[in-house]
Amino acid sequence: MASGRRSTRSNGHNPTEGSPENDATKDQIEATNNESPETKLADDRCPACTPETIAQLDDEVNEQWAMCGACKVWYHWRCTGEGVDLDTIDKWFCKTCLTTDTTGKRAITFRAPARKSDRKRTTKNYANIEAGVNSDPKRFLNMMEGKEIKDSSFRRMEGSQVGLEWVEENESAMKEPIVIESPEGLGMNMPDENFTVDDVGLLVGEKNPIEVIDVASQANAPGWTVGQWVEYYNLEPHQRDKIFNVISLEISGTLLADRILPPRLVRELDWVENFWPSTRKGKGHTYPKVQLYCLMGVQGAWTDWHIDFAGSSVYYHIMHGSKIFYFIKPTSANLAAYERWSGTEIQYNTWLGDLVDEVVKVTLTAGNTMIIPTGWIHAVYTPQDTLVFGGNFLHSYDIPTQLKVRDIEIRTQVPKKFRFPMFTKLVWYVGDKYMKDLKSGNVPSFRILDSLAALVDFLLSETRALERGSVQAKKEAKEQIPHDRVKDGPALARELAWRLRHASGNVSDDEYAPNGVGHMHKRKRMRSDSPPKFRNFRPKGWDTVLETKAEFDSKTLHLGKSEEINKWIEWDNNQGSETEPAVEVSSRKNVITKVRRKAENVVERERIERIVEVWTWKD
């Protein structure tokens, strides 16, 4: 099925030229070229022409034409496009062919947008275009009119409170967005308050290309330069014929980047900052450049529902203007609803908030900074011209959600160019660093240990692809391993898995059941030259493992019976009185001590106590 998208035709060409059913011969073309201007003007009309559009034909030098994929008739895009950019169209059908279609298979399709969002483009119903759905940038606001939207209760913090100490000591940290009203104490550098979009143009380069989003279609509007964007941005709102938005101008390597420094917390958590080798960053190197973005939105701009790629967290600072964020919490049910909605026909006429538990909103003004944690679904409205600096970062405190979002991107077939760049290679770097930390006895916090289990599973899945996958899967998995640091990927993944289990307290791999209760025995020395547990990995064993003789104890307490099994989870929380029934408590305790030499003048010792109690109430 043919399409005339991106076709630019000059006046004087036959409108049916190029159709398989109406190929013009050389004689016909020459005859057409010899016709009078009046005849050629008549030939340049399309079936959708009106007196107004015909009157403009003399002034049109490069008229855009589109050919219907069914009847092969050419139309002026100006006459029939309903305001939609021709560059966003993949396959197109005229209104007549859509109306007479009895198969139900004809539908307008759109090209995938070049934008930072993880959403893909899909087939659209032409009825939506006829109704102005894709040409009205206000349709998103109209869609949520009358919907229940709550004001958020997100925490507002001082900049000095937002640091690694907060994340380590507060288990709820980085679980929901926070707002910092003033940048003082954040450890962040931003341009002064007199900085404008004109300065962005000067420091980034006015001739450089820039990705611009057409708000009405949420698709890329090609052909823009930074200089052209600055001119557009400086227009008064009533002078702009369309609403455009810039959300993905990454400025690393530009003069502007020298004026921006992300908040201290971001730099402390960022995987790229802390795990990607410093010798492989900067000018001349390829690495994930997602830390420094300049966002420029004009009044009325809207960015539809999305999750930042790979579930990355975001810092977001308002230089001028304001933004209204709409948030949906990344629960399992909400993420499932988002996956069903994203990249399907319903996203064009369905308010995602109707499919989830609740939507909350946050308004940011000049000077405010917000940190959006992993996986939060959000949409953004721009009530006035706004300049923002921000960036994305992955971290170690919610790896499971980051990987869950990445899986959603794969299942919804988000093109690789719109995903987090070099994600798998970055994860290998992270795994290598944590394995070395664990090996040297530098055990991370409990929050990170708990999160690292998901990272290990991911690396083991890459290992399985490398060892047992198809030829193509093996090739791709091998290419993702950074061999400058990781010499043997499978060995790293398996050793990290073993060391993580050990650091988490699950040490059953190198333990044996006792030979009997009430006896002291010394276990066999576990030598490092014993058969390896995992291919490509040989764990270091304990030099000595000693289990003490079991200790018995018996006592009588007065405590009421409880049928609730959860009551017995709390250890040594047994308060009673003489009026309560008597209960006999018998217990035994085993102690296991392990010792091994790790290096010269370094000895590691581990002590494990096991206590078993039996409670018997007396009648």
Side-chain angles (χ1 to χ4, degrees), residues 6 74 112 119 190 272 323 329 590 618:
R6 297 174 60 85
W74 290 84
R119 291 180 46 203
M190 290 289 161
V272 176
K323 293 277 189 177
K329 189 174 184 178
N590 286 19
K618 299 178 180 180

Side-chain angles (χ1 to χ4, degrees), residues 218-265:
Q218 293 289 289
N220 182 49
W224 286 75
T225 65
V226 173
Q228 290 172 332
W229 170 258
V230 172
E231 290 181 7
Y232 166 81
Y233 185 95
N234 286 330
L235 293 173
E236 293 296 326
H238 68 272
Q239 295 177 311
R240 300 166 183 150
D241 57 345
K242 300 189 71 173
I243 297 179
F244 295 105
N245 199 11
V246 169
I247 61 174
S248 54
L249 176 60
E250 219 286 332
I251 59 174
S252 296
T254 70
L255 294 175
L256 180 54
D258 297 335
R259 303 196 180 190
I260 310 296
L261 182 67
R264 174 171 60 101
L265 175 66

Side-chain angles (χ1 to χ4, degrees), residues 1-3 16-24 67-72 74:
M1 189 175 296
S3 168
T16 61
E17 180 180 322
S19 167
E21 300 174 3
N22 299 283
D23 285 338
M67 184 183 71
C68 174
C71 66
K72 312 302 180 186
W74 290 84

Side-chain angles (χ1 to χ4, degrees), residues 435 439 488 490-499 501 530-540:
M435 195 277 292
K439 193 172 183 178
D488 189 333
L492 167 63
R494 292 181 172 112
E495 181 174 358
L496 178 60
W498 179 82
R499 292 191 181 279
R501 285 197 299 272
S530 59
K533 300 180 190 312
F534 308 106
R535 185 190 309 171
N536 304 321
F537 169 59
R538 188 184 303 276
K540 177 175 174 55

Side-chain angles (χ1 to χ4, degrees), residues 156-395:
R156 291 181 177 264
M157 301 179 64
E158 299 291 332
S160 59
Q161 298 175 309
V162 183
L164 187 59
E165 305 83 2
W166 167 61
V167 179
E168 288 285 353
E169 296 172 3
N170 189 333
E171 290 191 4
S172 64
M174 293 298 292
K175 292 294 186 182
E176 65 176 26
I178 61 170
V179 177
I180 304 96
E181 296 185 353
S182 173
E184 282 77 19
L186 265 178
M188 174 179 71
N189 289 342
M190 290 289 161
D192 60 46
E193 60 183 13
N194 297 320
F195 192 87
T196 67
V197 171
D198 295 88
D199 297 312
V200 173
L202 291 174
L203 295 173
V204 173
E206 295 184 346
K207 294 183 179 180
N208 287 329
I210 186 173
E211 291 188 358
V212 175
I213 300 298
D214 181 347
V215 169
S217 63
Q218 293 289 289
N220 182 49
W224 286 75
T225 65
V226 173
Q228 290 172 332
W229 170 258
V230 172
E231 290 181 7
Y232 166 81
Y233 185 95
N234 286 330
L235 293 173
E236 293 296 326
H238 68 272
Q239 295 177 311
R240 300 166 183 150
D241 57 345
K242 300 189 71 173
I243 297 179
F244 295 105
N245 199 11
V246 169
I247 61 174
S248 54
L249 176 60
E250 219 286 332
I251 59 174
S252 296
T254 70
L255 294 175
L256 180 54
D258 297 335
R259 303 196 180 190
I260 310 296
L261 182 67
R264 174 171 60 101
L265 175 66
V266 173
R267 290 179 278 120
E268 290 172 333
L269 299 184
D270 185 6
W271 276 1
V272 176
E273 179 79 14
N274 294 288
F275 298 112
W276 196 277
S278 58
T279 56
R280 294 184 175 268
K281 285 189 290 190
K283 188 175 182 179
H285 293 285
T286 301
Y287 65 99
K289 299 178 182 179
V290 297
Q291 295 88 355
L292 301 175
Y293 282 103
C294 178
L295 299 89
M296 297 170 281
V298 300
Q299 177 180 314
W302 172 271
T303 301
D304 208 7
W305 295 107
H306 65 284
I307 306 174
D308 281 83
F309 42 31
S312 54
S313 301
V314 180
Y315 75 93
Y316 201 92
H317 178 74
I318 308 289
M319 284 292 300
H320 306 296
S322 64
K323 293 277 189 177
I324 301 176
F325 278 77
Y326 299 88
F327 284 107
I328 297 172
K329 189 174 184 178
T331 64
S332 297
N334 289 345
L335 287 174
Y338 171 78
E339 183 176 346
R340 291 194 302 271
W341 175 89
S342 180
T344 63
E345 186 66 32
I346 65 171
Q347 74 183 39
Y348 301 106
N349 51 31
T350 302
W351 172 247
L352 180 59
D354 292 336
L355 309 178
V356 300
D357 52 5
E358 68 174 6
V359 176
V360 299
K361 73 174 183 177
V362 179
T363 299
L364 301 181
T365 56
N368 291 170
T369 303
M370 182 163 62
I371 295 180
I372 306 172
T374 302
W376 278 75
I377 308 163
H378 56 285
V380 189
Y381 177 65
T382 309
Q384 63 186 104
D385 294 358
T386 303
L387 173 62
V388 171
F389 289 106
N392 295 68
F393 61 101
L394 296 169
H395 61 81

